Structure formats: C-alpha cells, structure tokens
Amino acid sequence: MAGGASAASAAVGGGRAAAGAGAAAAAGAGAGAAAGAAAGVSAAAASPGALPSPHPLSLYHVFGRIGEGTYGVVYVATTLSSASGGSASSAAGHPPQKRAELLAGARGADNGAGGSLCALPHVADEDGAAEVGHPRTGASSAGTQRKLALKLLKPTKEFDGVSPTAVREMALLRELNHPHVLRLEAVHVHVEEHVLCMVFNYAEYDLYELIRHHRERLAKSPISLHTVKSLLWQVLQGVEYLHSQWVIHRDLKPSNILVTSEIALGGGGMVKIADFGLARIFQAPLRPLHDNGVVVTIWYRAPELLLGARHYTPALDVWAVGCIFAELTALRPLFQGHEVRRSGAPFQKDQLMRICELLGAPTEEIWPTLGHLPHWAANDENVVAAASEASNSALAEARKRRRLNASTPTPGEPPPLLADAAAMGRGSSAHYLLSKMLTFDPSARLTAQGALNDTYFSLEPIPGRNALRPPEGTGAAVSYPPRRVHTEDRGMPQSSEPAQQQQRGNK
Amino acid sequence: MASSFWTSSHSRLLFTAAEIHASNRHDANSATLNPVVSQPTLRRLRAFYASYLFELGRLCKVRARVVFTSIVYLRRFYLHRSFSTDDPRTIAPACLYLASKVEECPVQAKLVAYFAKKISQQTPSEVANWGRAWNGALGDATTNAGERTTAAAGDIDGVVTAAAAAAAAASSHANGTAADDDAQASKLPAPPTAAGAAASQDAACQVLLQPPGVNELLRAEMVVLKQLEAYLIVHHPLRALPSYLQALGIPPEGEGALRVYGVLSDSYRCDVCLMEPPHVLALGAAFLACASACSTSSSTAMRGSPSDAAASEVLREAMPRFEQLEGISVDDFAPFARHMLDYYEGDAAALRTSVCRDALANALGALVPPPTTAL
Ligand SMILES: Nc1ncnc2c1ncn2[C@@H]1O[C@H](COP(=O)(O)OP(=O)(O)O)[C@@H](O)[C@H]1O
C-alpha cells in the first residue's frame, strides 16, 4: 500500500525514527531524522524482534546521499554495530556455509524483524576476511565498520512492480565475484513499504571524478602513466571476468568505474566496476537484445550498435573500455557526439561521424559484415558518403595545420589522428593497443583477454594493484577529493564522522 | 552456460530429498490439528502449483524457460515458507511474474492477474488435462508395482525394466512440446475447451484456483524476492539439450527429442528439479525416454502410429550410447530416473483424479482460511 513518493521520503529519515519507536513507518518523514545519529544507532540496534520489520535504512548509520541514478538513490552509510548484535552485521559476518543452511537460518528470522535481511552472496572471499580489523582503518569507533553504499530503489507507481532493471542487476550481481567487480553485500526487501535496498562496499572515487579533477583542478596535468595503466589493467581484468561469465556490461563509462580510496578495507586504489542495470547474460538471450528505451550515453557506444546491430557481443564492452582509456590519457571524452534525443532508438549519426573523423570511414574490406547493418545498408541520412567525408575533411584539416604530411596515414599503421586525440605518442604501445580496442569490426576487435596480453602492459611502468599509489621513488600520489555527500537535504542529519573519515581518505 | 553453472548460485542451491521433505514446515506442523494436511498432500499441492505454472505460462505466452524458472522459485520459496502464511494462489503467479522479468520478457502484472482469473474459470477436466503432456497415458504403469520395487532397490537395470511402465507416458509426449529453447510454452497442447466452463467448475477447483488481484500480486513479488534473497538466476538445460541429443544420436528436431523434452518438462513438475544439476535433468530425461522405448520393444505398437514407432526405434538405438558419454555414467542419472518413475506412478497419476483435487482443496482450505470479505 505504501507505494509512491511518500515511501521514499519515509525511507530516508522516517525509517530510523520508526525503528527508534519500534513502531510502523514514521509519519513525519523528514522530521523523524531529527532524532539524530546517535539516537538512531542505539534505538535501531535494539529494535530487531519488533514487528513490523525495520526499514532497510534503519539497519545502517546513514550519512547522506551520494548519487541519484536512473532508478535509485545512493546513500553512504556504515553498519550500526560491528558485533553480532544487529541483524545487519550478521549478514556481513556470516561464516562460509552451504547455501541451504544460510537459507534455513534466514527462515528462523522470518517471523521477526530480521527477516528483511538477505544473507551475503560470497561470504568467504579474501575481501571479507581481510576487512575486519584492517590496520589502515584508523578510526577508533568505526574500527570494524565498513563504509557502505546503499542503493535504494525509487518506489514509483510507474514501474510494473519491482523495476526489471533492478531485478536483473541484483540477479546478475548475485552470480558475480571478482576483485574488480563491485560486490553486492546484501539485499534488503521491505515488503510493506515497497522498498528495495542493495548494499555495496563503498568506493570513494570514480573515473569520471578522477578525470575531472585533473582537467579542472590540476590544470589538465595528465594522470600518471602508472595510474592510467593500472586502472586500465584492472578494468580489463574485471571485464574479462564478466565476459568469462557470459555477462556483457553494456554501459561501461567513466562514472560506472569506481575506484576505492587509499584506506579502503580490502585494498586501496582498486577498480570496482559498477552499475549492472543494463548488463545481460549473453548466452541465453530470450529475445534479440535491445535497449528497451533505456537511455545510455552514446559516447561509449560501439559502431555496430550505432549502425543498428541487434545482436550484442562482448566486443561492445571492449570498445567502451577503449574510449575510457583514451579519456584517461586525454582527460576528455574521445568521441563526444551530439545525441539525437528522440524515442525509438534514433540513428546517432553525429556520434558515428566523430568516430570516422579519427578512425577513418569503415569499409567492407575491413569490416565484412558492414553491409548487413541496418543503417549502413539503408544508407540512412546518406551515412556512407558522410563517413568518407568526415574522415577526409578531418585529415585535410590536420594537414592544413601541418600536423600530418601528405602521405599519412600509412595503411597498416594505427590512425594518427587517434593518437593525437588521445594525447598518446603516435606509434606508441598505448596507441597500438587503443587502435586495436577500437577496431570497427567487432569480430576483429581485441578481446578483453587479448588486451590484457598486449605488450603495453609488459612495458614499464608495470600496472599495480593500487592504481593510485605510484611505485616507490616515482613521486607523490595525487590526492583526489572525496565523493560529495549531500547531508543537508531530505532531512539528512549532519554528522562530523564521515567528514573525518574522508579527510583521512585523502591523505 | 554449463561452464559457469558450477560457480553459480544455482549450484549451491541444490537440495537433498530430506531438505525438500522439510518444506512447508508450518503446514506440516499443523498436521496434528488438521488431519487433512499430510506430507504427501503438501507435496502434491506443490506439484499442483507447478503444473498450474505451466498452464499460466502457456496463457501468458512466455517461453518454457520462464515457466521452469518460476517453478524453481516456487519450490525454493516453500522450502522455508508455508501455504498457511503465504497463499500459493498468489505466490505461484508472482513467481511467474518475477521470472518473466529475470528472463527478460516481462509480463505485466495485470496480464498475469487476468490469466490467473482465466484459469480459475477452467473446468475440472481442463485442469486434469494440464498433465496431459506428461502422464496422460500412464494407466498401465501404476499397476506395475513389482518392477517399481526393483527400480527402487537401486540397480540401473531395474530402472530400465520399470521404465517400461512409463513407456506409455513417453508416447504421449510425442505431440507435446517443442524441443528448442525458443519454444514457447504456448506450444504446449491446449487442453480441450469444454463448453460452459465456468458453469461446470467444481468446488475443489474454485478453492485451488482462486485468482489474486493485481495488488496482491505486486506485494507477493516482493515477498518472493525477499525470500529468495535475490538469487534469481536459474540454469536450465534447454540450450544444451540439442547437443546432448546429438551426442546420443537422437535428431533434435524429431519425435524422439520431443519425448525427451516431455520428460524434462515433467521433472519440473516434481521435486527432482531442485535436486539435480541441469545436465542431469537433461540426460536423465533422455535416459528415461530411451529406457522406456527399450523396455516396450516387445509390446510395441501400443498406440501404433508410424511416427511413434520410428521415435521408439531412434530412442532404442540411442540407449547404448549412454555408456559412451564422457564424464558421466549411467549411475549418475539413476536417482533422477527413479524419482521420475515414482512421480509418474504416484503424484502425477493421483493429480489427474478429482478425488485428489478434493483432498488438496480441503487441505488448502484448512491451511488458508477463506477471505472474510466477499469479492
Ligand atoms: N559502491 C559505491 N560507492 C560509492 N559510490 C557509489 C557506489 N555505487 C554507486 N555510487 C554512486 O552513485 C551513483 C549512482 O549509482 P549507479 O549504480 O550508477 O546507479 P544508476 O544505475 O541508478 O545510475 C554512481 O555514479 C556513484 O556516484
């Protein structure tokens, strides 16, 4: 019954008040938060056992809002108690068990408040073990408390029940377990309020913010080679894992590539691929995969998709990673096309033209199935001629500016304009790798595995496990700003604790 | 997919017979108060709602794998929950509703509710016919108790012998379902539509098929999601089946394949789909179909059509190839075969009878009190 916006706001502030009162959802949502952080902690810890079950957010100490996605709001939080008391931590600390026993255990809690808790997917991996009592956590009160990101589903009536996107994201994340894939820690379902909450480990940075920091705050000083290479290496590791599990991410872009802070439990400076809302298992598609009207940013979209291919392959993730690679080196998006905003998946011609400017026009010689792609076959908006035109005028322009001599580009060499746009040396190993990841023909494009085997990664500097910490004696680490936490709105109580933690994260 | 099954949550969500026996705990505990509620009745109720999902899936025009997934959800759900607390008449359609999202062909809640209502208007004979694709001609089997005991004793030869009993069942699959993954459940044979459906609907069906409203359905989706802890990806051997069939020399498009597919579908109508990994379900189904064909060679031409005979021949010839399969021995699907035979002879046969449905309706009525408000 509690669908609609009221549930959403009750979720934030009111849930904790409700837990404190041991009553049903609080009526005065925003005002309820005035109970304050400390009250929230103790009251909620005492509440399990009360009926009805507590709101998911009442199981955590919520500091504020950090993001608003397409179908969810993301909060930063910690668990309320580190020991066995709260049901929240019972999820975090589950010993490895057979799933059947886990389920059986959850059953016991069904009639009580703890029933809203879902056990951990991967309870015994290295991450989990290492996190408790990590020496670098520092914080005394929060010594064993992990920072978490809570993704709360917007409960709107527009959706037919639980959003299919959320269902798929949860379902897929439950199957995934890799150091470079953001791990789903728990799922909370609050039946009465129609609230769904996914719990993740917190990641302080993402590539979008990292790149922006260099571009806008550090006067475009480049990200260090070691960091770029380590980030790319880790992203590729994650993508290679996904593909080995028959999962295509389909929405890789800088803001979905999270990076843990230097002090993160389980490893600092580590890439965590996030946002599986559009991800698909590609071996058993029931229908030809299509976007269902979901808007995906077009800048990272592979040319086969731009030309209307209906069958998705893992190659499109590699294309996106290539675009991200170039953005890390150049500090701006490689192909910044103007998006046609219209329903019905319109042909994004401008995006394709941007690609042709740097890579040349595709031909059936280099891309044998090109003629089968709908927009090319139909020559929509005169795309065939326009592609050549875009490519030729870009070359002419470069010659005019004396950045190219008459004979370039040389066939067989990677496109020179690509190197320039990506701020890479022409003919460098980075340039070669990038051009192989941005091969037009998806079946000829480098795979994630192939990219990992590229010589680029065997040359100095060797990629590291902590992408943000430079190798010994190569200078100081750049300090990046922590994620902005919005505490002022939606009745979020101000708390000094997260600020302190973030400062430490900055050192 | 087979490559990732062993790292999947599904591989950790296989259960023993004892674990499954502990399903519907509250209901089972209440058996002392309600003598009409017994363990076999609870098992049959689960089987009934599994078959119901085949029918609902057929009406909603979803693919077979959506139905399979929804049945696995339903069975996992009642491992820990009970009919008395969670009404299967709402939970079952909610499982299909959720499965349709996971399997990427969402069906609107109001459509699911609409077809649940349609089903509730089916006649008892239509309901009895849900099982047509699986055990329509099981008649002879039930009398074959001696051979059954042999099978239960544990040797695979016994299974082969006992499979004779199921031969007739297999032949009824021939005009059953299509064998490929893309097959729509809607291709399942439609039950004969009797005139005056609503009029002749009996009390038992009315109780068992009382449809949920849209809001109940939406709420139940959350309840199921919560109980399943968002472990929603279920592996089925539908994609792999053609390659298994090929390895056995059974043409994937032929009638023999349809019989195998029929047994595979039936494995979702009973508990065995929660016990065995997908490849065992597929190969076990093939084995049972072949064993049936073999053991009826003497008394063939039972139902006599030439295509039936040809299919039986294909399956008989496939039998020796089981020994040559790599990485799996015949013993690996013996438990599957025994379980299926038990099911065919026991619950499947019973569920076709109105006596059984009356008993189920009584039990459900005792567990779930009728709503106080009129519709
Ligand atoms: N684990 C996390 N740690 C820190 N911030 C996160 C985390 N997960 C998500 N966020 C933030 O929330 C934003 C939205 O999350 P995302 O999963 O991308 O949602 P959506 O799919 O709705 O866009 C992200 O861009 C990021 O800023």
Side-chain angles (χ1 to χ4, degrees), chain A residues 98-100 103-104 106-107 110-111 115-116 118-121 160-162 167-168 170-172 174-175 187 189-192 194-196 245-246 280-281 283-287 289, chain B residues 1 3-4 7-9 12-15 19 22 25-26 63 65-66 79-81 97-98 101-105 108-109 218-219 221-223 225-227 229-233 239:
Chain A
K98 200 184 162 192
R99 291 288 315 135
L103 283 174
R107 171 172 64 172
D110 265 1
N111 301 318
S116 70
C118 291
L120 271 177
D160 201 352
V162 181
V167 167
R168 278 193 301 266
M170 284 185 295
L172 278 178
R174 280 302 203 197
E175 307 298 318
V187 174
V189 180
H190 196 290
V191 175
E192 300 314 325
H194 266 264
V195 171
L196 212 72
Q245 299 295 306
W246 308 102
R280 291 289 187 282
I281 290 184
Q283 216 198 11
L286 286 181
R287 295 170 157 189
L289 296 170
Chain B
M1 191 144 51
S3 65
S4 61
T7 59
S8 70
S9 64
R12 285 169 282 140
L13 287 166
L14 297 175
F15 300 90
E19 286 168 320
R25 192 177 55 163
H26 281 308
R63 289 157 211 275
R65 65 176 302 124
V66 181
L79 281 175
H80 305 296
R81 308 284 283 234
Y97 178 54
L98 182 59
K101 291 179 185 176
V102 174
E103 301 289 355
E104 309 216 11
C105 52
Q108 288 180 340
L218 292 176
R219 185 183 186 280
E221 181 192 31
M222 299 286 282
V223 172
L225 190 64
K226 174 171 162 175
Q227 179 59 44
E229 301 180 344
Y231 288 97
L232 299 174
I233 294 191
R239 286 239 140 194

Side-chain angles (χ1 to χ4, degrees), chain A residues 174-446:
Chain A
R174 280 302 203 197
E175 307 298 318
L176 300 175
N177 182 16
H178 188 269
H180 298 305
V181 174
L182 187 63
R183 200 175 67 175
L184 181 62
E185 292 292 315
V187 174
H188 300 285
V189 180
H190 196 290
V191 175
E192 300 314 325
E193 296 195 31
H194 266 264
V195 171
L196 212 72
C197 176
M198 290 180 239
V199 182
F200 300 97
N201 273 336
Y202 183 75
E204 191 64 82
Y205 313 117
D206 57 61
L207 295 193
Y208 180 86
E209 292 297 339
L210 251 55
I211 291 165
R212 192 164 77 133
H213 186 67
H214 280 264
R215 189 181 58 232
E216 293 176 5
R217 297 269 169 278
L218 301 178
K220 300 202 174 119
S221 86
I223 303 175
S224 83
L225 198 52
H226 172 263
T227 295
V228 169
K229 204 183 261 194
S230 304
L231 290 172
L232 181 65
W233 170 259
Q234 295 184 17
V235 170
L236 284 167
Q237 295 257 337
V239 170
E240 198 273 327
Y241 166 77
L242 294 180
H243 292 174
S244 77
Q245 299 295 306
W246 308 102
V247 171
I248 316 181
H249 187 287
R250 302 205 316 159
D251 196 18
L252 291 172
K253 56 184 176 187
S255 60
N256 284 338
I257 311 288
L258 309 184
V259 182
T260 59
S261 79
E262 190 67 14
I263 59 153
L265 306 160
M270 291 247 292
V271 161
K272 304 282 177 183
I273 298 174
D275 197 353
F276 284 74
L278 291 176
R280 291 289 187 282
I281 290 184
F282 61 87
Q283 216 198 11
L286 286 181
R287 295 170 157 189
L289 296 170
H290 60 87
D291 279 330
N292 323 320
V294 179
V295 184
V296 193
T297 177
I298 61 170
W299 294 346
Y300 309 90
R301 202 177 285 178
E304 63 270 24
L305 290 191
L306 293 169
L307 286 170
R310 289 204 189 85
H311 290 281
Y312 292 179
T313 69
L316 64 90
D317 282 342
V318 176
W319 178 277
V321 175
C323 296
I324 294 167
F325 181 21
E327 194 164 335
L328 284 169
T329 52
L331 303 180
R332 57 185 170 80
L334 184 65
F335 304 121
Q336 228 168 331
H338 291 295
E339 182 166 2
V340 183
R341 292 182 186 275
R342 199 168 356 106
S343 64
F347 177 34
Q348 300 290 352
K349 186 184 176 191
D350 188 56
Q351 181 65 25
L352 188 70
M353 294 306 111
R354 301 297 172 107
I355 293 169
C356 294
E357 283 168 11
L358 295 188
L359 302 182
T363 62
E364 298 212 27
E365 196 184 329
I366 60 162
W367 189 355
T369 56
L370 180 62
H372 302 302
L373 292 167
H375 294 308
W376 193 268
N379 197 20
D380 285 334
E381 300 177 40
N382 209 10
V383 60
V384 178
S388 301
E389 165 63 21
S391 164
N392 289 336
S393 61
L395 287 171
E397 175 71 16
R399 288 193 188 101
K400 206 166 85 191
R401 292 164 177 257
R402 297 172 178 276
R403 300 214 323 262
L404 279 183
N405 58 41
S407 61
T408 47
T410 326
E413 303 252 297
L417 297 186
L418 175 64
D420 301 355
M424 293 170 175
R426 285 187 201 164
S428 65
S429 61
H431 182 205
Y432 269 94
L433 172 59
L434 178 62
S435 76
K436 284 182 276 183
M437 296 175 77
L438 298 180
T439 299
F440 270 114
D441 181 355
S443 64
R445 198 173 299 151
L446 211 54

Side-chain angles (χ1 to χ4, degrees), chain B residues 182-243:
Chain B
D182 292 336
Q184 303 241 333
S186 58
K187 286 189 192 154
L188 291 167
T193 30
S200 60
Q201 205 222 24
D202 69 354
C205 288
Q206 246 165 46
V207 171
L208 291 170
L209 299 175
Q210 194 186 88
V214 173
N215 283 338
E216 288 171 275
L217 203 58
L218 292 176
R219 185 183 186 280
E221 181 192 31
M222 299 286 282
V223 172
V224 173
L225 190 64
K226 174 171 162 175
Q227 179 59 44
L228 298 184
E229 301 180 344
Y231 288 97
L232 299 174
I233 294 191
V234 183
H235 294 247
H236 306 294
L238 288 161
R239 286 239 140 194
L241 192 59
S243 65

